[in-house]
PDB file of all heavy atoms in Angstrom:
ATOM      1  N   GLY A 209       6.894   1.098   1.191  1.00 62.00           N
ATOM      2  CA  GLY A 209       5.640   1.404   0.674  1.00 62.00           C
ATOM      3  C   GLY A 209       5.514   2.833   0.283  1.00 62.00           C
ATOM      4  O   GLY A 209       6.338   3.384  -0.312  1.00 62.00           O
ATOM      5  N   ALA A 213       6.956   8.949   5.407  1.00 92.00           N
ATOM      6  CA  ALA A 213       6.256  10.227   5.405  1.00 92.00           C
ATOM      7  C   ALA A 213       4.823  10.095   4.936  1.00 92.00           C
ATOM      8  O   ALA A 213       3.906  10.714   5.389  1.00 92.00           O
ATOM      9  CB  ALA A 213       7.035  11.226   4.570  1.00 92.00           C
ATOM     10  N   VAL A 221      -3.989  12.468   9.133  1.00 98.00           N
ATOM     11  CA  VAL A 221      -5.235  12.846   8.512  1.00 98.00           C
ATOM     12  C   VAL A 221      -6.390  12.053   9.209  1.00 98.00           C
ATOM     13  O   VAL A 221      -7.418  12.593   9.433  1.00 98.00           O
ATOM     14  CB  VAL A 221      -5.222  12.735   7.021  1.00 98.00           C
ATOM     15  CG1 VAL A 221      -6.540  12.878   6.377  1.00 98.00           C
ATOM     16  CG2 VAL A 221      -4.187  13.610   6.360  1.00 98.00           C
ATOM     17  N   LEU A 226     -11.159  11.537  13.071  1.00 98.00           N
ATOM     18  CA  LEU A 226     -11.636  10.772  14.214  1.00 98.00           C
ATOM     19  C   LEU A 226     -11.811  11.556  15.399  1.00 98.00           C
ATOM     20  O   LEU A 226     -12.292  11.002  16.439  1.00 98.00           O
ATOM     21  CB  LEU A 226     -10.652   9.684  14.503  1.00 98.00           C
ATOM     22  CG  LEU A 226     -10.640   8.469  13.445  1.00 98.00           C
ATOM     23  CD1 LEU A 226      -9.420   7.498  13.802  1.00 98.00           C
ATOM     24  CD2 LEU A 226     -11.954   7.666  13.546  1.00 98.00           C
ATOM     25  N   ASP A 227     -11.423  12.898  15.442  1.00 97.00           N
ATOM     26  CA  ASP A 227     -11.425  13.672  16.623  1.00 97.00           C
ATOM     27  C   ASP A 227     -12.814  13.607  17.333  1.00 97.00           C
ATOM     28  O   ASP A 227     -13.773  13.811  16.684  1.00 97.00           O
ATOM     29  CB  ASP A 227     -11.071  15.103  16.253  1.00 97.00           C
ATOM     30  CG  ASP A 227     -10.783  15.942  17.430  1.00 97.00           C
ATOM     31  OD1 ASP A 227     -10.286  15.426  18.438  1.00 97.00           O
ATOM     32  OD2 ASP A 227     -11.199  17.173  17.413  1.00 97.00           O
ATOM     33  N   LEU A 238      -6.115   0.437  22.209  1.00 98.00           N
ATOM     34  CA  LEU A 238      -5.304  -0.566  21.594  1.00 98.00           C
ATOM     35  C   LEU A 238      -3.838  -0.152  21.436  1.00 98.00           C
ATOM     36  O   LEU A 238      -2.935  -0.956  21.403  1.00 98.00           O
ATOM     37  CB  LEU A 238      -5.858  -1.019  20.209  1.00 98.00           C
ATOM     38  CG  LEU A 238      -7.195  -1.740  20.298  1.00 98.00           C
ATOM     39  CD1 LEU A 238      -7.713  -1.964  18.859  1.00 98.00           C
ATOM     40  CD2 LEU A 238      -7.085  -3.066  20.963  1.00 98.00           C
ATOM     41  N   ASN A 244       0.256   6.949  18.289  1.00 96.00           N
ATOM     42  CA  ASN A 244      -0.955   7.373  17.649  1.00 96.00           C
ATOM     43  C   ASN A 244      -1.014   6.737  16.188  1.00 96.00           C
ATOM     44  O   ASN A 244      -0.043   5.905  15.882  1.00 96.00           O
ATOM     45  CB  ASN A 244      -1.160   8.856  17.530  1.00 96.00           C
ATOM     46  CG  ASN A 244       0.192   9.534  17.137  1.00 96.00           C
ATOM     47  OD1 ASN A 244       1.054   8.842  16.439  1.00 96.00           O
ATOM     48  ND2 ASN A 244       0.397  10.731  17.546  1.00 96.00           N
ATOM     49  N   GLU A 308      -9.312  -7.241   4.673  1.00 98.00           N
ATOM     50  CA  GLU A 308     -10.722  -7.798   5.060  1.00 98.00           C
ATOM     51  C   GLU A 308     -10.543  -8.595   6.347  1.00 98.00           C
ATOM     52  O   GLU A 308     -11.438  -8.414   7.255  1.00 98.00           O
ATOM     53  CB  GLU A 308     -11.211  -8.741   3.965  1.00 98.00           C
ATOM     54  CG  GLU A 308     -11.665  -7.939   2.672  1.00 98.00           C
ATOM     55  CD  GLU A 308     -11.951  -8.839   1.540  1.00 98.00           C
ATOM     56  OE1 GLU A 308     -11.648 -10.084   1.633  1.00 98.00           O
ATOM     57  OE2 GLU A 308     -12.416  -8.307   0.514  1.00 98.00           O
ATOM     58  N   ALA A 316     -14.693  -8.402  15.800  1.00 96.00           N
ATOM     59  CA  ALA A 316     -15.007  -9.544  16.584  1.00 96.00           C
ATOM     60  C   ALA A 316     -15.281  -9.137  18.051  1.00 96.00           C
ATOM     61  O   ALA A 316     -14.618  -8.166  18.506  1.00 96.00           O
ATOM     62  CB  ALA A 316     -13.879 -10.540  16.517  1.00 96.00           C
ATOM     63  N   GLY A 341      -3.335   2.777   3.401  1.00 98.00           N
ATOM     64  CA  GLY A 341      -2.445   3.615   2.669  1.00 98.00           C
ATOM     65  C   GLY A 341      -1.913   2.922   1.432  1.00 98.00           C
ATOM     66  O   GLY A 341      -1.938   3.498   0.318  1.00 98.00           O
ATOM     67  N   LEU A 347       0.648   1.567  -7.738  1.00 97.00           N
ATOM     68  CA  LEU A 347       1.560   0.390  -8.057  1.00 97.00           C
ATOM     69  C   LEU A 347       1.571  -0.693  -6.929  1.00 97.00           C
ATOM     70  O   LEU A 347       2.226  -1.593  -7.047  1.00 97.00           O
ATOM     71  CB  LEU A 347       3.010   0.865  -8.393  1.00 97.00           C
ATOM     72  CG  LEU A 347       2.985   1.678  -9.607  1.00 97.00           C
ATOM     73  CD1 LEU A 347       4.485   2.268  -9.858  1.00 97.00           C
ATOM     74  CD2 LEU A 347       2.550   1.011 -10.845  1.00 97.00           C
ATOM     75  N   VAL A 349      -1.412  -1.951  -6.353  1.00 97.00           N
ATOM     76  CA  VAL A 349      -2.711  -2.588  -6.806  1.00 97.00           C
ATOM     77  C   VAL A 349      -2.478  -3.095  -8.196  1.00 97.00           C
ATOM     78  O   VAL A 349      -2.713  -4.318  -8.442  1.00 97.00           O
ATOM     79  CB  VAL A 349      -3.876  -1.666  -6.726  1.00 97.00           C
ATOM     80  CG1 VAL A 349      -5.117  -2.343  -7.274  1.00 97.00           C
ATOM     81  CG2 VAL A 349      -4.158  -1.253  -5.278  1.00 97.00           C
ATOM     82  N   GLU A 356       7.369 -10.568 -25.234  1.00 96.00           N
ATOM     83  CA  GLU A 356       8.687 -10.519 -25.939  1.00 96.00           C
ATOM     84  C   GLU A 356       9.067  -9.341 -26.840  1.00 96.00           C
ATOM     85  O   GLU A 356      10.231  -9.045 -27.067  1.00 96.00           O
ATOM     86  CB  GLU A 356       8.807 -11.856 -26.771  1.00 96.00           C
ATOM     87  CG  GLU A 356       8.799 -13.108 -25.975  1.00 96.00           C
ATOM     88  CD  GLU A 356       8.741 -14.384 -26.860  1.00 96.00           C
ATOM     89  OE1 GLU A 356       8.372 -14.158 -28.077  1.00 96.00           O
ATOM     90  OE2 GLU A 356       8.976 -15.416 -26.399  1.00 96.00           O
ATOM     91  N   SER A 386      16.542   4.658 -10.581  1.00 95.00           N
ATOM     92  CA  SER A 386      15.518   4.278  -9.598  1.00 95.00           C
ATOM     93  C   SER A 386      14.395   3.511 -10.243  1.00 95.00           C
ATOM     94  O   SER A 386      13.970   3.819 -11.381  1.00 95.00           O
ATOM     95  CB  SER A 386      14.951   5.518  -8.920  1.00 95.00           C
ATOM     96  OG  SER A 386      15.980   6.281  -8.455  1.00 95.00           O
ATOM     97  N   LEU A 388      10.561   2.507 -10.956  1.00 96.00           N
ATOM     98  CA  LEU A 388       9.337   3.336 -11.055  1.00 96.00           C
ATOM     99  C   LEU A 388       8.521   3.118  -9.744  1.00 96.00           C
ATOM    100  O   LEU A 388       7.742   4.062  -9.335  1.00 96.00           O
ATOM    101  CB  LEU A 388       8.550   2.924 -12.302  1.00 96.00           C
ATOM    102  CG  LEU A 388       7.239   3.740 -12.549  1.00 96.00           C
ATOM    103  CD1 LEU A 388       7.535   5.260 -12.757  1.00 96.00           C
ATOM    104  CD2 LEU A 388       6.533   3.214 -13.815  1.00 96.00           C
ATOM    105  N   LEU A 413      -2.872  18.669   3.438  1.00 97.00           N
ATOM    106  CA  LEU A 413      -3.606  17.743   2.606  1.00 97.00           C
ATOM    107  C   LEU A 413      -5.150  17.867   2.855  1.00 97.00           C
ATOM    108  O   LEU A 413      -5.927  17.870   2.004  1.00 97.00           O
ATOM    109  CB  LEU A 413      -3.120  16.261   2.998  1.00 97.00           C
ATOM    110  CG  LEU A 413      -1.741  15.833   2.556  1.00 97.00           C
ATOM    111  CD1 LEU A 413      -1.440  14.518   3.131  1.00 97.00           C
ATOM    112  CD2 LEU A 413      -1.777  15.673   0.957  1.00 97.00           C
ATOM    113  N   PRO A 418     -10.257  18.517   0.756  1.00 97.00           N
ATOM    114  CA  PRO A 418     -11.217  18.116   1.808  1.00 97.00           C
ATOM    115  C   PRO A 418     -12.124  16.947   1.239  1.00 97.00           C
ATOM    116  O   PRO A 418     -12.096  16.661   0.088  1.00 97.00           O
ATOM    117  CB  PRO A 418     -12.123  19.277   1.956  1.00 97.00           C
ATOM    118  CG  PRO A 418     -11.951  20.119   0.728  1.00 97.00           C
ATOM    119  CD  PRO A 418     -10.547  19.808   0.125  1.00 97.00           C
ATOM    120  N   SER A 419     -12.671  16.157   2.201  1.00 97.00           N
ATOM    121  CA  SER A 419     -13.348  14.910   1.919  1.00 97.00           C
ATOM    122  C   SER A 419     -14.536  15.262   0.967  1.00 97.00           C
ATOM    123  O   SER A 419     -15.125  16.286   0.962  1.00 97.00           O
ATOM    124  CB  SER A 419     -13.925  14.227   3.163  1.00 97.00           C
ATOM    125  OG  SER A 419     -14.838  15.109   3.786  1.00 97.00           O
ATOM    126  N   LYS A 420     -14.833  14.267   0.105  1.00 96.00           N
ATOM    127  CA  LYS A 420     -15.922  14.356  -0.851  1.00 96.00           C
ATOM    128  C   LYS A 420     -16.880  13.197  -0.649  1.00 96.00           C
ATOM    129  O   LYS A 420     -16.427  12.083  -0.205  1.00 96.00           O
ATOM    130  CB  LYS A 420     -15.403  14.237  -2.332  1.00 96.00           C
ATOM    131  CG  LYS A 420     -14.420  15.367  -2.702  1.00 96.00           C
ATOM    132  CD  LYS A 420     -14.032  15.022  -4.171  1.00 96.00           C
ATOM    133  CE  LYS A 420     -13.249  16.120  -4.726  1.00 96.00           C
ATOM    134  NZ  LYS A 420     -12.826  15.840  -6.038  1.00 96.00           N
ATOM    135  N   TRP A 423     -15.994   9.793  -1.751  1.00 97.00           N
ATOM    136  CA  TRP A 423     -14.914   8.942  -1.076  1.00 97.00           C
ATOM    137  C   TRP A 423     -15.504   7.896  -0.186  1.00 97.00           C
ATOM    138  O   TRP A 423     -14.774   6.982   0.295  1.00 97.00           O
ATOM    139  CB  TRP A 423     -13.980   9.940  -0.239  1.00 97.00           C
ATOM    140  CG  TRP A 423     -13.129  10.800  -1.015  1.00 97.00           C
ATOM    141  CD1 TRP A 423     -13.117  10.843  -2.428  1.00 97.00           C
ATOM    142  CD2 TRP A 423     -12.160  11.711  -0.592  1.00 97.00           C
ATOM    143  NE1 TRP A 423     -12.041  11.831  -2.763  1.00 97.00           N
ATOM    144  CE2 TRP A 423     -11.506  12.260  -1.713  1.00 97.00           C
ATOM    145  CE3 TRP A 423     -11.733  12.097   0.736  1.00 97.00           C
ATOM    146  CZ2 TRP A 423     -10.490  13.313  -1.523  1.00 97.00           C
ATOM    147  CZ3 TRP A 423     -10.740  13.049   0.890  1.00 97.00           C
ATOM    148  CH2 TRP A 423     -10.114  13.580  -0.259  1.00 97.00           C
ATOM    149  N   GLY A 427     -22.091   0.101   0.982  1.00 97.00           N
ATOM    150  CA  GLY A 427     -22.359  -1.198   1.708  1.00 97.00           C
ATOM    151  C   GLY A 427     -21.452  -1.466   2.925  1.00 97.00           C
ATOM    152  O   GLY A 427     -20.837  -0.465   3.435  1.00 97.00           O
ATOM    153  N   THR A 438     -10.337  -1.408  -6.673  1.00 98.00           N
ATOM    154  CA  THR A 438     -10.915  -1.182  -8.057  1.00 98.00           C
ATOM    155  C   THR A 438     -10.668   0.255  -8.430  1.00 98.00           C
ATOM    156  O   THR A 438     -10.194   0.539  -9.594  1.00 98.00           O
ATOM    157  CB  THR A 438     -12.395  -1.530  -8.130  1.00 98.00           C
ATOM    158  OG1 THR A 438     -12.578  -2.928  -8.021  1.00 98.00           O
ATOM    159  CG2 THR A 438     -13.013  -1.050  -9.417  1.00 98.00           C
ATOM    160  N   GLU A 439     -10.896   1.203  -7.513  1.00 98.00           N
ATOM    161  CA  GLU A 439     -10.626   2.608  -7.840  1.00 98.00           C
ATOM    162  C   GLU A 439      -9.175   2.850  -8.182  1.00 98.00           C
ATOM    163  O   GLU A 439      -8.842   3.507  -9.116  1.00 98.00           O
ATOM    164  CB  GLU A 439     -11.226   3.432  -6.750  1.00 98.00           C
ATOM    165  CG  GLU A 439     -11.024   4.922  -6.953  1.00 98.00           C
ATOM    166  CD  GLU A 439     -11.336   5.730  -5.724  1.00 98.00           C
ATOM    167  OE1 GLU A 439     -12.529   5.831  -5.301  1.00 98.00           O
ATOM    168  OE2 GLU A 439     -10.353   6.207  -4.971  1.00 98.00           O
ATOM    169  N   GLY A 442      -7.773   2.010 -11.502  1.00 97.00           N
ATOM    170  CA  GLY A 442      -7.920   3.039 -12.524  1.00 97.00           C
ATOM    171  C   GLY A 442      -6.771   4.010 -12.570  1.00 97.00           C
ATOM    172  O   GLY A 442      -6.371   4.473 -13.686  1.00 97.00           O
ATOM    173  N   ARG A 456      15.906  -3.884 -22.568  1.00 96.00           N
ATOM    174  CA  ARG A 456      15.700  -4.993 -21.626  1.00 96.00           C
ATOM    175  C   ARG A 456      17.000  -5.635 -21.276  1.00 96.00           C
ATOM    176  O   ARG A 456      17.910  -5.750 -22.028  1.00 96.00           O
ATOM    177  CB  ARG A 456      14.644  -5.989 -22.082  1.00 96.00           C
ATOM    178  CG  ARG A 456      15.167  -6.849 -23.308  1.00 96.00           C
ATOM    179  CD  ARG A 456      14.376  -8.166 -23.383  1.00 96.00           C
ATOM    180  NE  ARG A 456      12.989  -8.041 -23.688  1.00 96.00           N
ATOM    181  CZ  ARG A 456      12.091  -8.941 -23.375  1.00 96.00           C
ATOM    182  NH1 ARG A 456      12.443 -10.013 -22.790  1.00 96.00           N
ATOM    183  NH2 ARG A 456      10.821  -8.711 -23.656  1.00 96.00           N
ATOM    184  N   LEU A 475      10.188   8.889 -18.359  1.00 96.00           N
ATOM    185  CA  LEU A 475       8.907   9.498 -17.944  1.00 96.00           C
ATOM    186  C   LEU A 475       8.496  10.591 -18.986  1.00 96.00           C
ATOM    187  O   LEU A 475       9.345  11.432 -19.376  1.00 96.00           O
ATOM    188  CB  LEU A 475       8.895   9.971 -16.609  1.00 96.00           C
ATOM    189  CG  LEU A 475       9.217   8.992 -15.469  1.00 96.00           C
ATOM    190  CD1 LEU A 475       9.172   9.708 -14.145  1.00 96.00           C
ATOM    191  CD2 LEU A 475       8.266   7.802 -15.562  1.00 96.00           C
ATOM    192  N   THR A 486      -1.749  13.423  -8.194  1.00 97.00           N
ATOM    193  CA  THR A 486      -2.470  12.195  -7.859  1.00 97.00           C
ATOM    194  C   THR A 486      -2.174  11.828  -6.434  1.00 97.00           C
ATOM    195  O   THR A 486      -3.161  11.375  -5.747  1.00 97.00           O
ATOM    196  CB  THR A 486      -2.014  11.058  -8.860  1.00 97.00           C
ATOM    197  OG1 THR A 486      -2.389  11.481 -10.234  1.00 97.00           O
ATOM    198  CG2 THR A 486      -2.716   9.785  -8.482  1.00 97.00           C
ATOM    199  N   SER A 492      -4.710  12.151   1.088  1.00 98.00           N
ATOM    200  CA  SER A 492      -5.798  12.794   1.831  1.00 98.00           C
ATOM    201  C   SER A 492      -6.986  11.817   1.926  1.00 98.00           C
ATOM    202  O   SER A 492      -7.688  11.607   2.947  1.00 98.00           O
ATOM    203  CB  SER A 492      -6.243  14.100   1.173  1.00 98.00           C
ATOM    204  OG  SER A 492      -7.007  14.885   2.017  1.00 98.00           O
TER     205      SER A 492
END
Side-chain angles (χ1 to χ4, degrees):
V221 171
L226 287 169
D227 190 33
L238 292 175
N244 46 27
E308 287 169 353
L347 296 177
V349 176
E356 290 174 344
S386 306
L388 182 61
L413 287 170
S419 63
K420 297 178 175 183
W423 289 3
T438 291
E439 184 190 283
R456 68 157 67 202
L475 299 182
T486 298
S492 196

